Amino acid sequence: EDPIAHFKEVAIAMTKEEKENETFEFYASGNEEMSTETDDMKNIGFTALSKIYHELGIHKFLINRERGMKSKFPLNNMLKLLVYERILNPGSKLAAYENRNHYLENFNFEERALYRSFKTFAKHKETLLRDIHENVSMKYGRDTSNVFYDVTNYYFHTEEENELIKKGMSKDRKAKPIIQMGLLLDNAGLPMTYKLFSGNTTDFETLLPMLSEVKENYNLKRVIVVADKGLNSGENKAYNIIKGDGYIFSRSIRGTKANKEIKDYVLDETDYRRIGEDFKIKSRIYPTTIWVTNQEDKKVKVSIDEKHVVFYSEKYARRTQHKRQEAIAKAIALINSPSRYIKAENYGALKYIVGMSVNKETGEILRDKTANIPTLNEALIAEEQKYDGYYSIVTSELNMSDEEIVETYQGLWKIEESFKVTKSTLETRPVWVWTKDSIEAHFLSCFLSLLILRILEMKTERKYSIEKIVNSLSKANVCLLERNQYKAVYYDEILKDIDECVGTALKRKYLKLSQIKDMIAETK
């Protein structure tokens, strides 16, 4: 009906086919030498990251902000560089800038401009995260029936403290100033948002500020918050109940934090249901007293009904026993040779020793003068062994089945694994920046990197770990042959799957610069 439009499409297809089948030749002289500034290797693996970056609409958001600025910063290109480098070659912001020529992208801006952009990224962070959330919901779907929340901390390469950077309970045992980060994932394990807290903030104090902001800004309906025992407090339970939401928290059954009634219920064989040979479970609806702060800012007791679920897993028992045996072995080594003590490496071993402690400020080993010689705490070991394999969960969801509660709680590994990715693959710590704006910009680039990798992992049907995906993308390079002609140097099964799932063209062996630029343009 429209021959002109038809043959335009035919011409475009023919041109594309001709470009793909185009041959070229080059000549090399055996006497030709390189200059000392030669660096002819370029990465094209970032095109997979670019595809998702643009699907999330980050470029549109930042380009719109660029238009309203007096100083014309290329915000979009700056953040792209920070994200690509955080994934493929994590390091300092200076290192990211120095590596900008490893990509055939328009990263033509001054170093000082990059640092000045941090203030703008910090200013628009919350709005950007909400915009990304809406795009994730539209393009990939967003299941918020259960949200997983946890807190971790990242240490700084400094001894000084400020409003955000404080000394606190470091999960890395580095005795350095830290910052707390609360991270929220949806039911599929995709990051939703995050919030930073000062390093001396306790874990359970972070949940209420996070949830109040998320409920208001992300238009969420009823959600069930899944978190570990560090978030299990009366205030957090009360907040969820008042807001019409729910919670699934783990609960301690060891040590002084668990009362005798809870311990007796766990060990009482009555009402357990066997599921196979290695698993048993039981539950009860039980009135529970919690402490909450009333309108007069006073702590008062409130009684609520909770469902208590207890289960036993033989696999969990073996893992617990193995970890304790490792700690006991370290304890024995400490008893035999206290001078070998290194706090970060032997954390947890001291609790199994009677007559020995450590000075928390200096790390110095202290001997109990009332004891003759340090010995293993056999009573503590025997007490802990009673509860090997047992796990306890409390929840507001009285009508949810025991199995569904356990299955939902076990999804918490998604957030634990996300923290592992940020600390290992993305090398989020140690943090080298110092000001509030630069800290916000740093964690924003890390969060976006995590989200992009999670989506890429989802697109490839979770066949590969994030570490393997990053390793392959970082090897997807091209080398300049001559006169804007390149040869690709690496391809594997992971890149093949990325090509098929994301729509990239990393399999091309020989490319002209124009073809590479076309390939990059197709990801935008």
Side-chain angles (χ1 to χ4, degrees):
E1 295 182 2
D2 189 345
I4 295 176
H6 168 74
F7 284 108
K8 278 185 177 180
E9 292 182 3
V10 171
I12 291 171
M14 292 175 66
T15 302
K16 183 178 180 181
E17 181 180 1
E18 182 178 342
K19 283 186 176 181
E20 290 177 349
N21 296 327
E22 184 179 8
T23 61
F24 59 89
E25 57 186 27
F26 67 93
Y27 300 91
S29 168
N31 295 324
E32 192 170 355
E33 297 180 349
M34 292 187 293
S35 70
T36 55
E37 303 300 321
T38 301
D39 186 0
D40 290 337
M41 194 77 75
K42 308 292 182 184
N43 180 271
I44 59 171
F46 81 92
T47 54
L49 310 176
S50 175
K51 181 75 171 179
I52 299 170
Y53 180 98
H54 290 86
E55 285 180 351
L56 293 172
I58 302 172
H59 63 301
K60 292 181 180 178
F61 180 92
L62 292 175
I63 290 172
N64 285 335
R65 298 307 179 280
E66 289 174 18
R67 290 172 182 154
M69 295 175 62
K70 293 180 180 179
S71 300
K72 296 300 181 182
F73 286 170
L75 295 176
N76 179 46
N77 289 343
M78 290 175 171
L79 189 55
K80 276 198 294 186
L81 175 62
L82 293 177
V83 169
Y84 298 164
E85 275 291 288
R86 179 56 50 188
I87 294 173
L88 299 175
N89 191 30
S92 68
K93 305 298 176 287
L94 175 59
Y97 180 77
E98 291 174 343
N99 288 337
R100 68 194 184 282
N101 293 325
H102 289 176
Y103 309 92
L104 293 167
E105 266 274 33
N106 180 21
F107 293 145
N108 185 24
F109 45 80
E110 294 182 355
E111 178 188 342
R112 63 178 180 176
L114 177 64
Y115 287 101
R116 289 173 64 187
S117 71
F118 294 167
K119 183 176 182 179
T120 307
F121 292 144
K123 177 182 177 181
H124 296 293
K125 182 198 84 171
E126 295 297 339
T127 312
L128 173 59
L129 292 179
R130 290 197 296 271
D131 191 73
I132 291 172
H133 165 70
E134 292 174 1
N135 285 324
V136 170
S137 300
M138 288 188 295
K139 294 183 182 296
Y140 311 114
R142 183 73 105 175
D143 179 3
T144 57
S145 55
N146 301 315
V147 294
F148 299 93
Y149 180 75
D150 205 351
V151 185
T152 195
N153 44 58
Y154 301 88
Y155 64 91
F156 283 72
H157 192 73
T158 181
E159 295 294 339
E160 298 182 38
E161 300 180 70
N162 62 22
E163 182 182 353
L164 270 177
I165 308 169
K166 300 280 188 182
K167 288 193 175 181
M169 293 295 293
S170 173
K171 292 177 171 62
D172 295 300
R173 327 286 185 199
K174 295 291 185 182
K176 293 273 190 179
I178 59 174
I179 193 169
Q180 294 273 64
M181 184 179 80
L183 179 64
L184 198 71
L185 305 187
D186 66 17
N187 203 30
L190 292 181
M192 289 180 62
T193 188
Y194 70 97
K195 188 174 178 63
L196 300 179
F197 301 89
S198 63
N200 58 0
T201 308
T202 59
D203 287 5
F204 70 83
E205 291 178 301
T206 67
L207 182 60
L208 267 60
M210 170 66 90
L211 287 183
S212 60
E213 289 186 14
V214 170
K215 291 282 287 186
E216 179 181 352
N217 298 329
Y218 286 67
N219 194 27
L220 300 185
K221 298 178 181 178
R222 186 178 191 271
V223 298
I224 300 173
V225 179
V226 186
D228 68 11
K229 54 182 174 285
L231 283 300
N232 185 351
S233 71
E235 297 283 357
N236 289 340
K237 292 177 180 179
Y239 178 86
N240 281 280
I241 293 171
I242 291 170
K243 294 295 183 180
D245 296 322
Y247 61 84
I248 297 176
F249 295 150
S250 63
R251 176 178 61 174
S252 178
I253 58 175
R254 293 179 174 83
T256 57
K257 292 184 179 180
N259 62 43
K260 186 176 184 302
E261 195 281 330
I262 293 172
K263 293 181 177 181
D264 291 343
Y265 178 70
V266 169
L267 297 179
D268 185 355
E269 287 295 324
T270 307
D271 296 330
Y272 272 113
R273 293 180 288 111
R274 284 279 175 182
I275 302 175
E277 296 181 0
D278 300 330
F279 194 89
K280 61 182 179 180
I281 190 170
K282 69 175 179 178
S283 67
R284 64 181 180 177
I285 307 296
Y286 199 74
T288 303
T289 300
I290 61 175
W291 287 90
V292 297
T293 305
N294 64 13
Q295 293 181 341
E296 286 77 36
D297 201 30
K298 294 182 179 180
K299 292 281 187 180
V300 295
K301 287 183 178 181
V302 177
S303 182
I304 61 171
D305 281 341
E306 275 187 331
K307 187 171 188 177
H308 295 182
V309 179
V310 179
F311 68 90
Y312 173 86
S313 164
E314 185 65 36
K315 180 179 178 181
Y316 178 49
R318 289 194 298 268
R319 186 167 72 244
T320 304
Q321 291 161 5
H322 177 71
K323 287 184 177 180
R324 184 170 54 249
Q325 287 303 317
E326 287 183 338
I328 291 173
K330 290 181 179 180
I332 293 172
L334 285 176
I335 291 171
N336 294 332
S337 181
S339 61
R340 294 174 54 190
Y341 176 74
I342 301 174
K343 187 175 182 180
E345 295 179 359
N346 294 280
Y347 187 87
L350 278 175
K351 76 174 183 176
Y352 294 110
I353 303 176
V354 177
M356 185 181 289
S357 60
V358 63
N359 186 315
K360 293 182 179 180
E361 293 184 0
T362 65
E364 179 187 4
I365 287 288
L366 303 176
R367 292 281 297 271
D368 187 347
K369 296 180 181 179
T370 62
N372 293 326
I373 57 172
T375 58
L376 279 179
N377 192 337
E378 300 288 357
L380 175 61
I381 295 171
E383 177 67 15
E384 286 190 352
Q385 287 174 341
K386 295 179 185 178
Y387 304 98
D388 287 350
Y390 287 98
Y391 218 89
S392 180
I393 299 171
V394 296
T395 178
S396 59
E397 307 308 289
L398 306 182
N399 297 319
M400 186 181 287
S401 71
D402 298 351
E403 287 80 0
E404 187 178 358
I405 290 168
V406 172
E407 182 180 357
T408 302
Y409 177 78
Q410 289 177 337
L412 200 60
W413 68 267
K414 300 170 187 175
I415 200 164
E416 293 170 353
E417 208 253 343
S418 289
F419 282 144
K420 181 180 177 182
V421 169
T422 64
K423 292 186 176 183
S424 57
T425 306
L426 299 180
E427 297 184 17
T428 304
R429 50 77 203 269
V431 185
W432 295 80
V433 290
W434 176 252
T435 66
K436 188 176 186 299
D437 289 338
S438 59
I439 291 170
E440 289 285 5
H442 171 71
F443 281 98
L444 176 62
S445 66
C446 294
F447 175 85
L448 296 179
S449 300
L450 176 64
L451 175 59
I452 288 171
L453 286 174
R454 282 291 184 221
I455 293 173
L456 186 54
E457 180 187 43
M458 180 181 69
K459 282 178 175 282
T460 53
E461 300 177 342
R462 295 183 170 85
K463 292 168 63 176
Y464 313 105
S465 69
I466 282 180
E467 184 180 16
K468 289 183 177 179
I469 290 173
V470 170
N471 183 58
S472 292
L473 290 177
S474 64
K475 291 180 179 179
N477 296 313
V478 293
C479 181
L480 179 66
L481 296 176
E482 186 188 41
R483 296 173 186 169
N484 293 330
Q485 299 174 149
Y486 291 83
K487 177 188 179 299
V489 299
Y490 184 82
Y491 197 64
D492 62 13
E493 284 293 328
I494 297 176
L495 297 179
K496 179 182 178 183
D497 276 353
I498 289 174
D499 274 348
E500 293 173 355
C501 299
V502 180
T504 47
L506 300 172
K507 64 182 178 182
R508 296 287 300 275
K509 189 171 184 178
Y510 295 101
L511 302 109
K512 289 188 175 181
L513 178 60
S514 59
Q515 292 173 315
I516 295 175
K517 289 185 175 180
D518 287 344
M519 185 170 69
I520 296 171
E522 288 174 4
T523 68
K524 300 179 179 179

